Amino acid sequence: MNGQQHILDDKITLKEVILNFKGWIFFFISKWKIFLLAAIIGIVAGALVSIFKKPVYHAETTFVLEESDMGGMGQVSGIASLLGINLGSMSGPSGIFQGENIMELYKSDNMLGKTLLSPFDDKKLLIDKYIEFNELDKKWKNKVDLASLNFSIPRENFTITQDSVVKEISKLIREKHLSVEKPNRKLSIIYVTVSSKDELFSKVFNESMVANVNSFYLETKTKKTAENLAILQMQADSVRAVLDENLLEYATMADRIPFPNSLVQSATVGSRRKQVDIQAASAVFAEITKNLEIAKVNHRNNSPLIQIIDSPRYPLKSTRIKLLKGMVYGAVLMGFAALLFLYFRQLYRLHIEGS
């Protein structure tokens, strides 16, 4: 019975909960001066943050990426195009994933590093500007002497320290300053946004990044067909040179013997051989030219279309803490901090000092 009575005594009734809550309410009301002081401090702090905190500038580029998914039909499409036949779109269901590869390229260390080493102005690189306005030389002074590093030399001559700095800054930009999004999966519009506290850096970095990545992507997507096109063009030029040489030699022979004697067959052997060479070279040249035109069509069909829609322009969109908003946030945060302080201090007095 005593155990059961002890359990009943330990139970908290609804009445006790209400009385305890009302007690805390009266306690906090009695400390209104502390809350008022905390709110004033918060208002002042919020106002100072709003005034002195630098805004963040956002440079945004939007572009359309239309990829060609030719599959195994490239040759057929090329021939059909030469004949004036339009086979229509040959892209399959995989077209829904257009743009995923280029979005990952924007986040790669290679592209970020290449952009950081691009010119900011006539005197410095983008990486130098980033180090300057983020004051990394002061923040990292115990790790590396950034002032002694020259990033304008060729990348292949970089030291391990220089490569490490470029990689670390690339990581910072990827995590804090770069956003690459494709809001609508059904559309091929990609948004590339660079945000920083320096307006000029945001714009220049965004433009350089878009140019570097899109050029690399276009070159990579068309590399195979471009190599094939270059080989065929070289072969066509070579055969054309042989054909021109044979035609010149045949004309020279005809000039030497303008009216050959039909009874003297040996006089026409050389010209006949040259005619055979011309016919053979002409046939080879015609075949290579046909293949060359097909290769050109395939190369055009295989080239993705990257069309810039909007590019960053001054003044850039910026986000800053408005004065009223900063004051309200400051008052709320300081008030909440004061409430927690009073609550835990009262608990300490009741349960630690009171015992």
Side-chain angles (χ1 to χ4, degrees):
M1 289 293 295
N2 292 334
Q4 293 179 354
Q5 183 66 34
H6 180 70
I7 292 174
L8 291 173
D9 292 340
D10 287 343
K11 290 184 177 180
I12 300 176
T13 63
L14 178 61
K15 181 178 179 181
E16 292 175 336
V17 172
I18 295 175
L19 291 175
N20 191 32
F21 180 75
K22 291 176 68 175
W24 279 108
I25 293 295
F26 288 131
F27 169 75
F28 287 131
I29 292 176
S30 67
K31 303 295 182 181
W32 64 271
K33 292 182 180 179
I34 296 179
F35 283 108
L36 178 60
L37 178 62
I40 293 174
I41 295 174
I43 290 172
V44 174
L48 291 175
V49 170
S50 301
I51 294 171
F52 293 104
K53 185 176 177 61
K54 293 182 179 180
V56 176
Y57 297 95
H58 309 278
E60 183 179 80
T61 295
T62 59
F63 63 90
V64 175
L65 173 64
E66 182 181 350
E67 296 185 90
S68 176
D69 187 11
M70 298 296 292
M73 298 296 291
Q75 189 78 2
V76 176
S77 174
I79 297 173
S81 298
L82 286 176
L83 297 176
I85 302 173
N86 184 10
L87 297 181
S89 175
M90 298 183 183
S91 59
S94 62
I96 194 172
F97 299 108
Q98 289 181 359
E100 298 298 329
N101 293 334
I102 196 170
M103 291 174 67
E104 290 303 316
L105 272 178
Y106 273 96
K107 302 173 185 178
S108 67
D109 285 339
N110 183 30
M111 291 293 102
L112 286 169
K114 183 177 181 180
T115 304
L116 281 169
L117 298 176
S118 300
F120 174 75
D121 54 25
D122 296 335
K123 298 180 180 180
K124 62 182 69 174
L125 305 178
L126 281 165
I127 190 171
D128 298 322
K129 183 63 177 178
Y130 185 85
I131 292 172
E132 177 186 316
F133 74 81
N134 283 284
E135 299 182 343
L136 294 184
D137 52 342
K138 298 178 181 178
K139 296 177 182 178
W140 294 0
K141 64 180 180 180
N142 295 328
K143 299 179 181 179
V144 60
D145 183 11
L146 292 175
S148 64
L149 300 180
N150 180 16
F151 295 100
S152 61
I153 63 176
R155 185 99 187 247
E156 56 270 17
N157 297 331
F158 273 19
T159 63
I160 296 176
T161 302
Q162 287 174 303
D163 282 329
S164 299
V165 170
V166 173
K167 187 172 183 180
E168 188 63 27
I169 294 179
S170 298
K171 181 181 178 182
L172 289 175
I173 290 179
R174 179 169 52 247
E175 294 176 352
K176 298 182 179 181
H177 304 282
L178 178 65
S179 172
V180 185
E181 298 178 328
K182 188 179 180 184
N184 193 330
R185 292 288 176 181
K186 296 181 180 179
L187 301 178
S188 298
I189 300 178
I190 296 175
Y191 295 77
V192 180
T193 306
V194 176
S195 305
S196 76
K197 296 179 181 179
D198 188 278
E199 185 176 21
L200 187 56
F201 174 85
S202 295
K203 183 178 185 296
V204 176
F205 190 91
N206 182 286
E207 292 172 340
S208 298
M209 187 75 176
V210 170
N212 288 334
V213 175
N214 289 358
S215 296
F216 179 83
Y217 185 75
L218 184 63
E219 180 183 351
T220 302
K221 289 286 290 183
T222 60
K223 184 177 181 180
K224 188 174 181 179
T225 54
E227 290 177 349
N228 183 47
L229 183 61
I231 292 173
L232 286 173
Q233 185 64 60
M234 184 176 62
Q235 291 176 344
D237 294 340
S238 177
V239 174
R240 179 59 185 265
V242 172
L243 180 59
D244 291 343
E245 183 180 354
N246 287 332
L247 288 172
L248 181 60
E249 292 179 0
Y250 180 75
T252 302
M253 290 179 179
D255 290 340
R256 290 175 183 173
I257 311 176
F259 304 105
N261 189 344
S262 58
L263 298 177
V264 184
Q265 297 296 321
S266 60
T268 61
V269 171
S271 61
R272 289 179 180 178
R273 287 178 178 175
K274 194 55 60 178
Q275 285 179 337
V276 172
D277 292 341
I278 291 172
Q279 291 175 355
S282 298
V284 172
F285 182 72
E287 186 65 25
I288 292 179
T289 301
K290 182 181 69 175
N291 292 334
L292 179 62
E293 292 303 316
I294 293 174
K296 289 179 179 179
V297 173
N298 288 335
H299 183 66
R300 287 195 297 268
N301 291 338
N302 194 54
S303 301
L305 172 64
I306 301 177
Q307 179 63 50
I308 301 294
I309 301 175
D310 291 315
S311 56
R313 295 181 179 276
Y314 293 119
L316 298 181
K317 177 183 176 182
S318 63
T319 55
R320 66 179 72 210
I321 301 176
K322 295 182 179 179
L323 183 60
L324 180 60
K325 188 176 181 180
M327 294 168 65
V328 172
Y329 280 2
V332 171
L333 290 176
M334 288 302 296
F336 183 71
L339 184 145
L340 291 178
F341 170 75
L342 293 172
Y343 174 75
F344 285 111
R345 191 182 70 169
Q346 185 66 6
L347 285 180
Y348 177 79
R349 288 177 175 177
L350 293 175
H351 298 285
I352 305 299
E353 293 181 355
S355 61

